[in-house]
């Protein structure tokens, strides 16, 4: 299952796909109604990895529109994945809910797959759909919700690599996925 590599700028609206070209790690990913839907609400950190490798020290913005269909609002983005087949040495920005309280958490998975939280924003008003993006600089990243920065200058642990969509115990529909280079 080799996928043709993508190039920047990249955008996908899931309107005209002949096949799903994201490498999947867990979950049930399908294109339904012009959206990429992950329907397994029993798994954590389920991934759909885009076949694109971003070079180190190459600023970019990665984002997607996410509609929560079922579960505790668990949807997010993984970026600067250093491995093509697991979360080891990667960054994560993800929505979630705990005891009815919505939050946005961000951090990275280290060499032993331990998640190191770099921060969180709570409480957070999460509607049925929301836009999430990261603006990745050379040494740090910013987190944007609905186009507005909610946290800036978070230190990067890893540079370059793959990007992925992820879910956490939720059924989520992704749309308007994009990766654009940033000129600094």
């Amino acid at each position: 299952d080799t996928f043709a590599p993508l190039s920047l700028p990249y955008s996908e609206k899931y309107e005209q796909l002949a096949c799903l070209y994201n490498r999947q790690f867990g979950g049930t990913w399908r294109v339904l109604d012009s959206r990429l839907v992950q329907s397994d609400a029993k798994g954590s950190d389920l991934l759909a990895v885009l076949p694109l490798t971003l070079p180190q020290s190459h600023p970019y913005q990665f984002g997607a529109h996410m509609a929560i269909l079922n579960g505790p609002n668990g949807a997010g983005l993984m970026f600067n994945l250093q491995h093509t087949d697991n979360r080891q040495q990667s960054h994560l920005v993800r929505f979630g809910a705990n005891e009815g309280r919505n939050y946005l958490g961000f951090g990275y998975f280290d060499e032993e797959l331990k998640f190191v939280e770099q921060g969180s924003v709570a409480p957070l008003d999460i509607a049925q759909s929301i836009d999430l993006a990261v603006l990745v600089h050379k040494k740090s990243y910013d987190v944007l919700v609905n186009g507005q920065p909610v946290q800036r200058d978070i230190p990067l642990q890893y540079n370059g690599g793959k990007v992925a969509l992820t879910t956490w115990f939720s059924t989520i529909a992704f749309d308007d996925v994009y990766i654009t280079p940033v000129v600094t």
Side-chain angles (χ1 to χ4, degrees), residues 79-135:
F79 58 102
N80 290 4
L81 282 87
Q82 301 301 294
H83 304 276
T84 59
D85 60 352
N86 67 54
R87 300 179 318 264
Q88 182 183 16
Q89 296 174 297
S90 63
H91 285 271
L92 168 72
V93 174
R94 178 181 54 75
F95 294 109
N98 186 11
E99 298 176 359
R101 184 178 169 205
N102 293 320
Y103 65 88
L104 174 71
F106 43 92
Y108 62 93
F109 289 95
D110 68 10
E111 293 80 8
E112 279 104 40
L113 284 172
K114 178 184 169 198
F115 183 70
V116 178
E117 184 177 346
Q118 291 179 294
S120 64
V121 177
L124 191 65
D125 184 23
I126 299 175
Q128 284 304 109
S129 65
I130 199 160
D131 292 325
L132 178 63
V134 289
L135 179 55

Side-chain angles (χ1 to χ4, degrees), residues 2-72:
T2 302
F3 299 102
L6 303 173
S7 60
L8 293 180
Y10 166 81
S11 69
E12 182 60 67
K13 293 184 181 288
Y14 300 102
E15 293 172 343
Q16 312 246 343
L17 282 183
C19 69
L20 184 59
Y21 52 81
N22 302 83
R23 185 173 300 281
Q24 301 150 38
F25 296 98
T28 305
W29 299 83
R30 293 190 180 98
V31 176
L32 299 169
D33 300 323
S34 298
R35 302 183 298 178
L36 178 60
V37 177
Q38 194 296 113
S39 58
D40 179 358
K42 296 177 184 171
S44 64
D45 300 321
L46 307 176
L47 303 177
V49 182
L50 281 72
L52 175 74
T53 301
L54 298 161
Q56 290 187 0
S57 300
H58 188 255
Y60 66 93
Q61 186 166 329
F62 170 43
H65 181 78
M66 303 169 188
I68 294 109
L69 305 179
N70 183 34

